[in-house]
Amino acid sequence: MLTDHFRPQSFNGIDDIVIVGGGLAGLFCALKLAPRPVTILAAAPIGHGASSAWAQGGIAAAMSNGDTFEKHVADTVAAGAGIVDEKMTRMMVAEGPARIHDLLEYGVPFDRDLEGKLLLSREAAHSERRIVRVKGDMAGKAIMEALIAAVRRTPSIRVLEGYVVEELVREGRFISGVVARPDAGQSKTRVSFPARAVVLCSGGVGHLFAVTTNPWEACGQGVGMAARAGAIIADPEFVQFHPTAINIGKDPAPLATEALRGDGAILVNSAGRRFMLDIHPDGELAPRDVVSRGVFAEVNAGRGAFLDCTRAVGKHFPEMFPTVYASCMAAGIDPVTQPIPVAPAVHYHMGGVLTDGQGRTSIDGLWAAGEVTSTGVHGANRLASNSLLEAVVFAARIAENIKGTLPAPKLAAWGDDAGENDDPVTVEDSPPFKVLRGLMSECVGVVRTRESLTRAIREIAELERANTRLRFANIVTTAKLITVAALQRTESRGGHFRADCPTERPEWQRRTYLTLAQAERLASDVAETAPA
């Protein structure tokens, strides 16, 4: 029995729309809703707990003379390994240039040439140069800084930082608000936020795994909360590993951006042998899942993997890729003259809360945008730099849909009941969470098998039985959904690779749809079966 199901503390406040998460999708949606009253609840100071701020590559948009929407759609479909929703993708790609111009109006300093035109670069699996960047590898940081400044000067947007949302409140078929814990989740009392519309922009699942490029806030709470409220979850088994996290023992792992390989950097092992050309004709620019498995194999074999930028970038490294350069130099590696040690790390979740083209979930009153969702545009393997594009396109569409569905603001008072002492702990530093992270990396990582997934399900069940915390229940729910879906999908496709089922199977060329009740039945069957 969970101990923190209690009524929350009273505050003197009112809300119309509550946005959960202060990343790119949340901030962009709030700006698009203005002058509608909006409250953003962010677990960390906005810009600090969001994967968006760490994005190095940029935003993909078909804006060059030689590029077309059709080419961008085709590249997305090819990367997505047969299960991309083409209708949703066409819509996203078509609206991309308009959203880039929105970001420019908000003050994002995208790179330009001497004539003032946007500079476009190429990344893996893109057939054209269509990545809009900022100073090489600083797009995420620059975009977030510009949006934060715009939010701060918009009087209709209230930002409450340090509020960890733990529960979606459901009344009948509607989500009617959220319950959050202040003080970065450390308060002994909770606060209720009734709302006419809740927009879930809580980020991804990277910190469910021991090696990730994501901040700790990206630990799957949003997916778990939505699933526990009854939302349909789509494609949870598809987890993208970035092949070139800098392997220096840091958590989260710093990233060596895809753009380095786009500019000609190569992958070699400790013997200096370039190994990716033996695996895929596109070498280092093969889809991320292919490159990740290639790097994983070299590391596992004891040969190590290194990103050699010495010829392709060389002395220009400090000004072209300042973020990566700083990370390397802090670890005693000079990327101008030395190869960078790399390893695969969880980077992005293609699965998440199922939404339609307007960002609506399967529960009335709940919309969602960004990495917490599964819109279908990424399929089994996200195309590089489509994530920020998806976030802004669907955030804008949610704003329009809410304005049309709920045309007039109607403010509701915050909850008026006293909270109880729950003696909160930092779940993210707790021993059970560390056990879960190790288990997910070992058993549900780059390479999976029936045996490893079955073990993970059994051990997740043990963690659930011992748990008394609502926040950890959200997190472990997401781990269970990912693992059950991975066990069910008896093939390899995109970011999901089964060593015991190493090929794609035509009967599995479809998306996965899963409720928590279904996942629990399947997990129970596995947990009750004696190990072989």
Side-chain angles (χ1 to χ4, degrees):
M1 181 69 67
L2 299 175
T3 61
D4 42 359
H5 280 296
F6 56 79
R7 290 178 296 181
Q9 178 179 345
S10 169
F11 279 79
N12 180 22
I14 50 177
D15 287 289
D16 177 45
I17 299 166
V18 169
I19 295 176
V20 180
L24 174 60
L27 300 187
F28 198 82
C29 187
L31 288 166
K32 283 293 185 178
L33 280 162
R36 188 78 175 254
V38 172
T39 296
I40 297 174
L41 300 177
I46 53 174
H48 292 277
S51 298
S52 316
W54 298 10
Q56 294 181 0
I59 300 184
M63 301 179 72
S64 69
N65 291 335
D67 203 0
T68 65
F69 293 160
E70 289 300 319
K71 288 181 180 179
H72 191 174
V73 170
D75 290 345
T76 301
V77 169
I83 62 168
V84 167
D85 185 321
E86 289 195 41
K87 182 179 178 181
M88 295 280 271
T89 303
R90 289 180 191 282
M91 179 189 72
M92 177 185 76
V93 166
E95 294 179 15
R99 301 291 77 81
I100 296 294
H101 287 296
D102 285 341
L103 291 169
L104 287 167
E105 289 181 8
Y106 289 134
V108 177
F110 288 122
D111 293 343
R112 298 176 183 269
D113 62 19
L114 294 176
E115 296 179 350
K117 296 177 182 177
L118 289 173
L119 277 175
L120 300 169
S121 63
R122 186 184 170 201
E123 289 184 353
H126 285 273
S127 59
E128 299 287 343
R129 300 180 74 87
R130 64 169 69 99
I131 314 304
V132 186
R133 296 196 290 185
V134 179
K135 294 181 181 178
D137 62 4
M138 298 182 69
K141 182 174 184 290
I143 291 168
M144 289 298 291
E145 286 176 351
L147 291 190
I148 289 167
V151 163
R152 298 288 192 204
R153 61 177 180 261
T154 303
S156 61
I157 302 173
R158 172 176 50 193
V159 179
L160 298 181
E161 297 167 309
Y163 279 73
V164 177
V165 176
E166 295 184 339
E167 193 170 8
L168 298 171
V169 179
R170 181 165 181 167
E171 296 180 9
R173 63 188 182 89
F174 291 92
I175 295 296
S176 59
V178 304
V179 179
R181 193 183 297 277
D183 302 330
Q186 294 304 291
S187 174
K188 293 183 178 181
T189 54
R190 304 197 300 168
V191 183
S192 173
F193 294 87
R196 298 180 77 203
V198 174
V199 185
L200 191 61
C201 304
S202 54
V205 305
H207 243 75
L208 278 177
F209 295 77
V211 183
T212 179
T213 62
N214 294 173
W216 71 261
E217 290 85 358
C219 56
Q221 281 205 74
V223 171
M225 273 191 296
R228 296 179 74 238
I232 296 170
I233 307 303
D235 302 332
E237 66 269 39
F238 294 114
V239 178
Q240 186 175 79
F241 291 78
H242 197 292
T244 55
I246 304 174
N247 191 12
I248 51 176
K250 290 191 70 176
D251 182 23
L255 186 64
T257 174
E258 190 104 44
L260 286 162
R261 284 175 283 136
D263 284 354
I266 60 172
L267 285 162
V268 298
N269 60 24
S270 56
R273 186 172 184 277
R274 186 179 179 185
F275 56 84
M276 276 309 302
L277 289 175
D278 297 335
I279 299 170
H280 194 281
D282 291 337
E284 288 77 9
L285 293 181
R288 280 182 174 175
D289 63 298
V290 177
V291 182
S292 288
R293 288 195 294 276
V295 171
F296 179 79
E298 294 299 309
V299 173
N300 250 24
R303 293 186 290 269
F306 302 83
L307 186 65
D308 188 346
C309 314
T310 55
R311 292 185 181 179
V313 183
K315 65 181 181 180
H316 302 292
F317 212 118
E319 63 268 21
M320 287 181 67
F321 302 98
T323 305
V324 181
Y325 183 76
S327 295
C328 290
M329 293 298 287
I333 301 161
D334 183 356
V336 173
T337 59
Q338 295 174 278
I340 305 166
V342 294
V346 174
H347 187 59
Y348 191 84
H349 190 208
M350 280 75 72
V353 183
L354 177 66
T355 66
D356 65 9
Q358 310 306 318
R360 296 175 298 199
T361 73
S362 57
I363 312 175
D364 289 340
L366 180 65
W367 287 257
E371 193 175 349
V372 74
T373 69
S374 180
T375 62
V377 301
H378 302 309
N381 193 31
R382 175 180 67 96
L383 182 65
S385 291
N386 267 357
S387 53
L388 299 187
L389 173 65
E390 180 198 37
V392 293
V393 166
F394 284 91
R397 294 183 74 83
I398 287 171
E400 287 303 309
N401 188 248
I402 289 175
K403 289 176 181 177
T405 305
L406 307 171
K410 182 180 178 182
L411 303 176
W414 293 5
D416 58 1
D417 293 307
E420 298 174 6
N421 189 332
D422 185 44
D423 190 25
V425 296
T426 304
V427 172
E428 294 74 18
D429 289 335
S430 66
F433 187 54
K434 291 176 181 176
V435 169
L436 179 63
R437 293 186 72 196
L439 177 68
M440 292 298 286
S441 276
E442 184 179 350
C443 296
V444 200
V446 177
V447 177
R448 305 161 174 179
T449 63
R450 179 177 183 81
E451 182 182 6
S452 73
L453 295 168
T454 299
R455 176 192 154 198
I457 288 170
R458 292 195 179 106
E459 294 192 22
I460 286 169
E462 289 295 324
L463 289 169
E464 285 187 302
R465 277 191 284 272
N467 176 50
T468 59
R469 301 285 169 180
L470 181 56
R471 204 184 313 169
F472 188 68
N474 292 330
I475 293 169
V476 80
T477 291
T478 304
K480 178 164 56 181
L481 288 160
I482 292 169
T483 308
V484 167
L487 180 62
Q488 275 194 295
R489 187 174 283 273
T490 52
E491 66 156 1
S492 293
R493 185 181 297 272
H496 167 71
F497 184 80
R498 289 274 299 263
D500 52 345
C501 309
T503 59
E504 291 183 1
R505 293 171 59 181
E507 64 268 31
W508 276 108
Q509 191 172 340
R510 55 181 173 83
R511 299 181 66 195
T512 302
Y513 302 101
L514 199 61
T515 65
L516 179 55
Q518 291 168 332
E520 285 179 335
R521 284 195 296 271
L522 292 162
S524 179
D525 290 344
V526 171
E528 291 174 4
T529 304

Tab-separated table of all heavy atoms in Angstrom, residues 132-173:
chain	number	residue	atom	x	y	z
A	132	VAL	N	19.113	22.907	-38.441
A	132	VAL	CA	19.329	24.298	-38.042
A	132	VAL	C	20.035	24.264	-36.688
A	132	VAL	O	19.514	23.696	-35.729
A	132	VAL	CB	17.987	25.054	-37.935
A	132	VAL	CG1	18.236	26.527	-37.658
A	132	VAL	CG2	17.178	24.883	-39.204
A	133	ARG	N	21.216	24.885	-36.601
A	133	ARG	CA	22.035	24.765	-35.395
A	133	ARG	C	22.360	26.135	-34.796
A	133	ARG	O	22.086	27.179	-35.381
A	133	ARG	CB	23.353	24.040	-35.717
A	133	ARG	CG	23.162	22.601	-36.167
A	133	ARG	CD	24.453	21.810	-36.094
A	133	ARG	NE	25.440	22.193	-37.091
A	133	ARG	CZ	26.601	21.577	-37.281
A	133	ARG	NH1	26.925	20.537	-36.542
A	133	ARG	NH2	27.439	21.978	-38.195
A	134	VAL	N	23.000	26.098	-33.618
A	134	VAL	CA	23.510	27.305	-32.969
A	134	VAL	C	24.938	27.024	-32.520
A	134	VAL	O	25.168	26.126	-31.694
A	134	VAL	CB	22.652	27.719	-31.756
A	134	VAL	CG1	23.250	28.960	-31.098
A	134	VAL	CG2	21.218	27.973	-32.159
A	135	LYS	N	25.892	27.731	-33.079
A	135	LYS	CA	27.307	27.584	-32.727
A	135	LYS	C	27.746	26.121	-32.721
A	135	LYS	O	28.398	25.650	-31.792
A	135	LYS	CB	27.594	28.223	-31.362
A	135	LYS	CG	27.410	29.729	-31.351
A	135	LYS	CD	27.726	30.320	-29.984
A	135	LYS	CE	27.511	31.825	-29.989
A	135	LYS	NZ	27.758	32.420	-28.646
A	136	GLY	N	27.340	25.403	-33.739
A	136	GLY	CA	27.751	24.011	-33.887
A	136	GLY	C	26.992	23.057	-33.006
A	136	GLY	O	26.193	22.253	-33.476
A	137	ASP	N	27.201	23.127	-31.664
A	137	ASP	CA	26.615	22.120	-30.776
A	137	ASP	C	25.851	22.731	-29.602
A	137	ASP	O	25.687	22.101	-28.568
A	137	ASP	CB	27.700	21.175	-30.247
A	137	ASP	CG	28.771	21.887	-29.419
A	137	ASP	OD1	28.636	23.106	-29.181
A	137	ASP	OD2	29.740	21.232	-29.001
A	138	MET	N	25.341	23.948	-29.761
A	138	MET	CA	24.708	24.629	-28.634
A	138	MET	C	23.235	24.974	-28.880
A	138	MET	O	22.674	25.859	-28.233
A	138	MET	CB	25.485	25.901	-28.286
A	138	MET	CG	26.917	25.618	-27.854
A	138	MET	SD	27.829	27.105	-27.382
A	138	MET	CE	26.995	27.554	-25.869
A	139	ALA	N	22.593	24.248	-29.808
A	139	ALA	CA	21.212	24.577	-30.182
A	139	ALA	C	20.261	24.485	-28.995
A	139	ALA	O	19.477	25.413	-28.740
A	139	ALA	CB	20.743	23.666	-31.308
A	140	GLY	N	20.296	23.356	-28.277
A	140	GLY	CA	19.360	23.171	-27.174
A	140	GLY	C	19.478	24.262	-26.131
A	140	GLY	O	18.473	24.836	-25.686
A	141	LYS	N	20.701	24.566	-25.734
A	141	LYS	CA	20.946	25.595	-24.716
A	141	LYS	C	20.442	26.957	-25.191
A	141	LYS	O	19.757	27.686	-24.449
A	141	LYS	CB	22.440	25.653	-24.406
A	141	LYS	CG	22.844	26.651	-23.327
A	141	LYS	CD	24.326	26.509	-23.012
A	141	LYS	CE	24.748	27.438	-21.861
A	141	LYS	NZ	24.718	28.852	-22.261
A	142	ALA	N	20.749	27.305	-26.439
A	142	ALA	CA	20.355	28.615	-26.959
A	142	ALA	C	18.844	28.733	-27.122
A	142	ALA	O	18.255	29.783	-26.832
A	142	ALA	CB	21.053	28.866	-28.299
A	143	ILE	N	18.211	27.664	-27.593
A	143	ILE	CA	16.752	27.675	-27.743
A	143	ILE	C	16.085	27.855	-26.388
A	143	ILE	O	15.171	28.668	-26.216
A	143	ILE	CB	16.261	26.380	-28.425
A	143	ILE	CG1	16.713	26.346	-29.890
A	143	ILE	CG2	14.738	26.263	-28.346
A	143	ILE	CD1	16.535	24.992	-30.557
A	144	MET	N	16.538	27.102	-25.406
A	144	MET	CA	15.943	27.184	-24.079
A	144	MET	C	16.168	28.560	-23.456
A	144	MET	O	15.259	29.124	-22.829
A	144	MET	CB	16.494	26.080	-23.183
A	144	MET	CG	15.998	24.693	-23.545
A	144	MET	SD	14.207	24.517	-23.379
A	144	MET	CE	14.041	24.601	-21.596
A	145	GLU	N	17.342	29.126	-23.604
A	145	GLU	CA	17.598	30.456	-23.046
A	145	GLU	C	16.661	31.493	-23.651
A	145	GLU	O	16.119	32.355	-22.931
A	145	GLU	CB	19.061	30.855	-23.290
A	145	GLU	CG	20.045	30.120	-22.388
A	145	GLU	CD	21.491	30.457	-22.705
A	145	GLU	OE1	21.739	31.124	-23.743
A	145	GLU	OE2	22.376	30.046	-21.922
A	146	ALA	N	16.451	31.412	-24.969
A	146	ALA	CA	15.552	32.369	-25.627
A	146	ALA	C	14.109	32.185	-25.162
A	146	ALA	O	13.396	33.167	-24.894
A	146	ALA	CB	15.655	32.212	-27.142
A	147	LEU	N	13.664	30.942	-25.052
A	147	LEU	CA	12.282	30.691	-24.638
A	147	LEU	C	12.065	31.056	-23.168
A	147	LEU	O	11.005	31.570	-22.804
A	147	LEU	CB	11.912	29.230	-24.877
A	147	LEU	CG	11.794	28.788	-26.338
A	147	LEU	CD1	11.190	27.391	-26.415
A	147	LEU	CD2	10.966	29.752	-27.162
A	148	ILE	N	13.048	30.772	-22.331
A	148	ILE	CA	12.932	31.151	-20.909
A	148	ILE	C	12.770	32.660	-20.786
A	148	ILE	O	11.919	33.151	-20.029
A	148	ILE	CB	14.149	30.648	-20.117
A	148	ILE	CG1	14.096	29.131	-19.970
A	148	ILE	CG2	14.212	31.307	-18.728
A	148	ILE	CD1	15.399	28.514	-19.485
A	149	ALA	N	13.569	33.410	-21.543
A	149	ALA	CA	13.452	34.871	-21.512
A	149	ALA	C	12.073	35.310	-21.980
A	149	ALA	O	11.462	36.217	-21.387
A	149	ALA	CB	14.538	35.495	-22.384
A	150	ALA	N	11.550	34.664	-23.025
A	150	ALA	CA	10.213	35.015	-23.530
A	150	ALA	C	9.135	34.686	-22.506
A	150	ALA	O	8.188	35.464	-22.304
A	150	ALA	CB	9.948	34.278	-24.842
A	151	VAL	N	9.276	33.530	-21.837
A	151	VAL	CA	8.307	33.138	-20.802
A	151	VAL	C	8.343	34.116	-19.637
A	151	VAL	O	7.293	34.531	-19.119
A	151	VAL	CB	8.601	31.693	-20.327
A	151	VAL	CG1	7.912	31.396	-18.997
A	151	VAL	CG2	8.158	30.689	-21.388
A	152	ARG	N	9.539	34.515	-19.214
A	152	ARG	CA	9.678	35.423	-18.065
A	152	ARG	C	9.000	36.772	-18.324
A	152	ARG	O	8.547	37.421	-17.383
A	152	ARG	CB	11.159	35.653	-17.752
A	152	ARG	CG	11.937	34.399	-17.352
A	152	ARG	CD	11.576	33.903	-15.972
A	152	ARG	NE	12.521	32.890	-15.492
A	152	ARG	CZ	12.241	31.973	-14.581
A	152	ARG	NH1	11.033	31.913	-14.041
A	152	ARG	NH2	13.141	31.092	-14.184
A	153	ARG	N	8.948	37.178	-19.574
A	153	ARG	CA	8.337	38.479	-19.864
A	153	ARG	C	6.879	38.368	-20.314
A	153	ARG	O	6.287	39.362	-20.764
A	153	ARG	CB	9.161	39.249	-20.894
A	153	ARG	CG	9.320	38.594	-22.250
A	153	ARG	CD	10.103	39.492	-23.227
A	153	ARG	NE	10.239	38.838	-24.518
A	153	ARG	CZ	11.316	38.179	-24.920
A	153	ARG	NH1	12.375	38.090	-24.114
A	153	ARG	NH2	11.374	37.603	-26.100
A	154	THR	N	6.286	37.181	-20.209
A	154	THR	CA	4.889	36.979	-20.589
A	154	THR	C	4.041	36.908	-19.320
A	154	THR	O	4.117	35.929	-18.576
A	154	THR	CB	4.728	35.679	-21.408
A	154	THR	OG1	5.586	35.736	-22.559
A	154	THR	CG2	3.282	35.515	-21.872
A	155	PRO	N	3.231	37.931	-19.042
A	155	PRO	CA	2.527	37.996	-17.747
A	155	PRO	C	1.489	36.902	-17.530
A	155	PRO	O	1.144	36.612	-16.385
A	155	PRO	CB	1.867	39.383	-17.773
A	155	PRO	CG	1.829	39.783	-19.208
A	155	PRO	CD	3.006	39.130	-19.859
A	156	SER	N	1.006	36.267	-18.598
A	156	SER	CA	-0.018	35.223	-18.430
A	156	SER	C	0.565	33.886	-18.006
A	156	SER	O	-0.175	32.960	-17.679
A	156	SER	CB	-0.794	35.037	-19.740
A	156	SER	OG	0.082	34.636	-20.788
A	157	ILE	N	1.894	33.771	-18.005
A	157	ILE	CA	2.546	32.508	-17.656
A	157	ILE	C	3.136	32.592	-16.259
A	157	ILE	O	3.953	33.467	-15.972
A	157	ILE	CB	3.657	32.154	-18.665
A	157	ILE	CG1	3.096	32.064	-20.088
A	157	ILE	CG2	4.325	30.836	-18.276
A	157	ILE	CD1	4.158	31.894	-21.152
A	158	ARG	N	2.705	31.691	-15.396
A	158	ARG	CA	3.273	31.582	-14.057
A	158	ARG	C	4.128	30.325	-14.020
A	158	ARG	O	3.664	29.238	-14.382
A	158	ARG	CB	2.158	31.502	-13.020
A	158	ARG	CG	2.646	31.198	-11.616
A	158	ARG	CD	1.514	31.228	-10.605
A	158	ARG	NE	0.389	30.426	-11.040
A	158	ARG	CZ	-0.816	30.479	-10.478
A	158	ARG	NH1	-1.045	31.333	-9.521
A	158	ARG	NH2	-1.786	29.702	-10.898
A	159	VAL	N	5.361	30.467	-13.587
A	159	VAL	CA	6.279	29.330	-13.496
A	159	VAL	C	6.520	29.013	-12.026
A	159	VAL	O	6.956	29.880	-11.256
A	159	VAL	CB	7.620	29.631	-14.195
A	159	VAL	CG1	8.561	28.439	-14.058
A	159	VAL	CG2	7.398	29.966	-15.662
A	160	LEU	N	6.223	27.788	-11.626
A	160	LEU	CA	6.508	27.314	-10.273
A	160	LEU	C	7.599	26.254	-10.371
A	160	LEU	O	7.360	25.157	-10.861
A	160	LEU	CB	5.245	26.745	-9.622
A	160	LEU	CG	4.080	27.729	-9.431
A	160	LEU	CD1	2.908	27.038	-8.757
A	160	LEU	CD2	4.515	28.938	-8.618
A	161	GLU	N	8.803	26.608	-9.927
A	161	GLU	CA	9.949	25.713	-10.037
A	161	GLU	C	10.120	24.903	-8.755
A	161	GLU	O	9.783	25.353	-7.660
A	161	GLU	CB	11.202	26.533	-10.339
A	161	GLU	CG	11.108	27.251	-11.690
A	161	GLU	CD	12.179	28.300	-11.894
A	161	GLU	OE1	12.338	29.152	-10.993
A	161	GLU	OE2	12.848	28.276	-12.939
A	162	GLY	N	10.640	23.702	-8.893
A	162	GLY	CA	10.826	22.840	-7.742
A	162	GLY	C	9.562	22.091	-7.343
A	162	GLY	O	9.478	21.573	-6.230
A	163	TYR	N	8.597	21.991	-8.241
A	163	TYR	CA	7.360	21.248	-7.985
A	163	TYR	C	7.405	19.929	-8.760
A	163	TYR	O	7.337	19.926	-9.992
A	163	TYR	CB	6.131	22.058	-8.413
A	163	TYR	CG	5.707	23.090	-7.397
A	163	TYR	CD1	6.449	24.252	-7.199
A	163	TYR	CD2	4.568	22.907	-6.617
A	163	TYR	CE1	6.080	25.202	-6.259
A	163	TYR	CE2	4.178	23.848	-5.673
A	163	TYR	CZ	4.937	24.996	-5.503
A	163	TYR	OH	4.551	25.929	-4.567
A	164	VAL	N	7.539	18.832	-8.056
A	164	VAL	CA	7.576	17.512	-8.677
A	164	VAL	C	6.145	16.976	-8.720
A	164	VAL	O	5.548	16.679	-7.685
A	164	VAL	CB	8.491	16.551	-7.902
A	164	VAL	CG1	8.456	15.153	-8.538
A	164	VAL	CG2	9.920	17.083	-7.863
A	165	VAL	N	5.584	16.856	-9.914
A	165	VAL	CA	4.225	16.334	-10.056
A	165	VAL	C	4.263	14.823	-9.855
A	165	VAL	O	5.037	14.120	-10.495
A	165	VAL	CB	3.626	16.708	-11.426
A	165	VAL	CG1	2.243	16.070	-11.600
A	165	VAL	CG2	3.531	18.222	-11.566
A	166	GLU	N	3.398	14.347	-8.953
A	166	GLU	CA	3.405	12.934	-8.600
A	166	GLU	C	2.148	12.190	-9.034
A	166	GLU	O	2.147	10.964	-9.067
A	166	GLU	CB	3.546	12.789	-7.075
A	166	GLU	CG	4.863	13.303	-6.541
A	166	GLU	CD	5.029	13.076	-5.058
A	166	GLU	OE1	4.020	12.884	-4.350
A	166	GLU	OE2	6.188	13.089	-4.594
A	167	GLU	N	1.098	12.935	-9.374
A	167	GLU	CA	-0.163	12.249	-9.632
A	167	GLU	C	-1.064	13.089	-10.525
A	167	GLU	O	-1.169	14.309	-10.366
A	167	GLU	CB	-0.865	11.993	-8.294
A	167	GLU	CG	-2.014	11.025	-8.352
A	167	GLU	CD	-2.480	10.641	-6.961
A	167	GLU	OE1	-2.014	11.245	-5.966
A	167	GLU	OE2	-3.319	9.733	-6.869
A	168	LEU	N	-1.685	12.433	-11.503
A	168	LEU	CA	-2.757	13.033	-12.288
A	168	LEU	C	-4.078	12.704	-11.594
A	168	LEU	O	-4.325	11.550	-11.248
A	168	LEU	CB	-2.764	12.482	-13.710
A	168	LEU	CG	-1.513	12.744	-14.551
A	168	LEU	CD1	-1.584	11.943	-15.854
A	168	LEU	CD2	-1.356	14.224	-14.859
A	169	VAL	N	-4.912	13.718	-11.393
A	169	VAL	CA	-6.193	13.512	-10.721
A	169	VAL	C	-7.252	13.221	-11.786
A	169	VAL	O	-7.483	14.017	-12.687
A	169	VAL	CB	-6.603	14.748	-9.907
A	169	VAL	CG1	-7.960	14.517	-9.232
A	169	VAL	CG2	-5.533	15.065	-8.859
A	170	ARG	N	-7.879	12.055	-11.653
A	170	ARG	CA	-8.901	11.661	-12.621
A	170	ARG	C	-10.272	11.630	-11.951
A	170	ARG	O	-10.437	11.038	-10.882
A	170	ARG	CB	-8.588	10.296	-13.227
A	170	ARG	CG	-9.611	9.843	-14.259
A	170	ARG	CD	-9.130	8.690	-15.104
A	170	ARG	NE	-10.135	8.316	-16.093
A	170	ARG	CZ	-9.919	7.522	-17.131
A	170	ARG	NH1	-8.720	7.002	-17.314
A	170	ARG	NH2	-10.881	7.235	-17.990
A	171	GLU	N	-11.238	12.273	-12.580
A	171	GLU	CA	-12.627	12.240	-12.133
A	171	GLU	C	-13.467	11.714	-13.284
A	171	GLU	O	-13.660	12.400	-14.289
A	171	GLU	CB	-13.096	13.632	-11.711
A	171	GLU	CG	-12.344	14.185	-10.505
A	171	GLU	CD	-12.825	15.560	-10.091
A	171	GLU	OE1	-13.859	16.018	-10.638
A	171	GLU	OE2	-12.168	16.181	-9.233
A	172	GLY	N	-13.932	10.470	-13.165
A	172	GLY	CA	-14.664	9.848	-14.271
A	172	GLY	C	-13.747	9.664	-15.459
A	172	GLY	O	-12.669	9.091	-15.345
A	173	ARG	N	-14.153	10.201	-16.598
A	173	ARG	CA	-13.307	10.057	-17.795
A	173	ARG	C	-12.414	11.273	-18.026
A	173	ARG	O	-11.767	11.384	-19.070
A	173	ARG	CB	-14.179	9.794	-19.031
A	173	ARG	CG	-15.142	10.897	-19.401
A	173	ARG	CD	-16.082	10.444	-20.513
A	173	ARG	NE	-17.000	11.495	-20.942
A	173	ARG	CZ	-16.726	12.375	-21.905
A	173	ARG	NH1	-15.572	12.328	-22.534
A	173	ARG	NH2	-17.618	13.300	-22.240
